[in-house]
Amino acid sequence: MNQYSKRFLKTHLIEIIMSIPKTIYFNFKVLPVKQALRLPYIVSYHVKLSGINRKTFLTKNNDLSTCSMRIGFGDSITSRRESPKSLLCVERGGVIQVGKDLGLSQGCVICANNAKLILGDKFRCNYSTTIDCSGSDIKIGNNVVLGWNVTIKNNDGHYLVENGNDSIISKEIIIKDHVSVCAYATLLKGICIQKDSVVAYGALLTNTIDKESLLYGGVPAKIIKENISWRE
C-alpha cells in the first residue's frame, strides 16, 4: 500500500468502515477471486451500481494494490451544496474499462450505454462529474484530470426529427494523455483533445483542433494560448 492510500484510509476511515459491504461486493463482482481478495477497489456506500459485472466492468491492470482504485470518495469546495450520491451504470451491451489508480469522486454519474467507455491510468474526476457514453465510444487517456461539475456527453440525448424521420446522433470522443479539464466545462460529441492540453473553467468544447498543448476557453471554446502544459 502506497503513502497516498495510507493517507486516504486515515482521512476517510468512518466512511470506509460504512462502505465495507459494498466494497467487498464490488471487488468480487468485477475481479477474479485472487485479485478481489486484495480489495483494490474501495467503493462508497453512496454509490449506486447498475449492470456492473466482470463482463461489463473491465480492469486493464492485473497488479493492483489495496485501495488504489477509489469510487465515490472525495469532495471539493462545492461539495457542501450537492449530493454525495454517485451512479455507475452499464446498459445494453455497454462496457467500462479502467486503468490503474482510478479516482472517481462523490456525486459522479458514469454511464456506458451500447458503447465502450475507456478510462486510462491515473484518471481522476472531481465532484459531480457526468460522463454519458451512449451509442459511440469515449476514450480517455492516461493522467487525465476532470474538475467538478464537468460534463462529457457524446450523444444528443433525444431524437432529431428531420423530414419526418427520427434519428439520434452520437459520435466518438477522444481525450488524449495528460489533459486537464477545469470545473463546469462541457465536452460534446465528436471532439478530440490532444495531449498536454487544458480546457478552461466553464468552456463549451464542440470542435476538434488537431494540435497539442493548447488552452481552450469560452462558449463555444476557441484557442486562447498555444505551447502550454500543466501540472498539479
Side-chain angles (χ1 to χ4, degrees):
M1 187 183 300
N2 59 36
Q3 289 297 115
Y4 185 85
S5 295
K6 290 178 181 178
R7 186 165 63 252
F8 172 78
L9 286 171
K10 184 177 179 180
T11 56
H12 295 82
L13 184 59
I14 294 176
E15 186 176 356
I16 289 170
I17 292 171
M18 296 176 68
S19 302
I20 287 174
K22 182 152 286 185
T23 291
I24 294 173
Y25 170 82
F26 187 90
N27 279 278
F28 283 89
K29 190 75 173 177
V30 303
L31 295 173
V33 173
K34 287 185 178 180
Q35 289 179 261
L37 287 170
R38 300 180 193 169
L39 297 181
Y41 286 97
I42 182 162
V43 184
S44 172
Y45 68 95
H46 289 300
V47 178
K48 180 179 179 180
L49 305 172
S50 179
I52 301 298
N53 56 53
R54 292 183 192 176
K55 293 182 179 180
T56 63
F57 192 93
L58 309 179
T59 305
K60 186 177 178 182
N61 194 296
N62 294 324
D63 185 23
L64 300 175
S65 59
T66 301
C67 298
S68 63
M69 312 285 278
R70 292 170 288 279
I71 300 176
F73 289 91
D75 51 20
S76 75
I77 195 170
T78 65
S79 64
R80 296 177 185 176
R81 301 199 301 266
E82 305 186 44
S83 170
K85 294 183 178 180
S86 300
L87 172 64
L88 200 60
C89 176
V90 178
E91 298 177 338
R92 296 175 56 218
V95 173
I96 297 174
Q97 176 184 299
V98 300
K100 62 181 180 180
D101 297 326
L102 177 71
L104 307 181
S105 193
Q106 293 182 3
C108 293
V109 176
I110 313 290
C111 293
N113 181 2
N114 192 31
K116 189 172 187 178
L117 170 61
I118 299 175
L119 306 177
D121 295 344
K122 296 183 179 179
F123 172 79
R124 285 160 292 151
C125 64
N126 214 316
Y127 210 90
S128 295
T129 288
T130 297
I131 302 178
D132 180 4
C133 176
S134 182
S136 295
D137 296 345
I138 295 178
K139 300 175 182 178
I140 299 178
N142 301 327
N143 298 293
V144 172
V145 177
L146 308 182
W148 62 83
N149 288 282
V150 167
T151 298
I152 300 176
K153 187 175 179 64
N154 72 343
N155 61 90
D156 289 337
H158 57 79
Y159 285 95
L160 181 67
V161 181
E162 184 176 5
N163 297 322
N165 297 316
D166 289 352
S167 65
I168 186 166
I169 299 174
S170 64
K171 294 180 181 178
E172 183 180 62
I173 290 176
I174 298 175
I175 302 174
K176 296 194 176 179
D177 294 346
H178 196 243
V179 169
S180 174
V181 182
C182 297
Y184 291 99
T186 300
L187 314 182
L188 297 183
K189 64 181 186 290
I191 64 145
C192 176
I193 303 176
Q194 300 296 328
K195 70 178 183 179
D196 295 323
S197 294
V198 176
V199 180
Y201 186 101
L204 173 62
L205 192 56
T206 60
N207 293 302
T208 291
I209 300 172
D210 193 20
K211 195 172 182 180
E212 298 174 358
S213 302
L214 298 178
L215 171 61
Y216 298 89
V219 179
K222 60 182 181 180
I223 298 174
I224 297 176
K225 291 184 179 180
E226 299 186 28
N227 300 316
I228 63 97
S229 189
W230 64 278
R231 63 181 178 85
E232 295 185 69

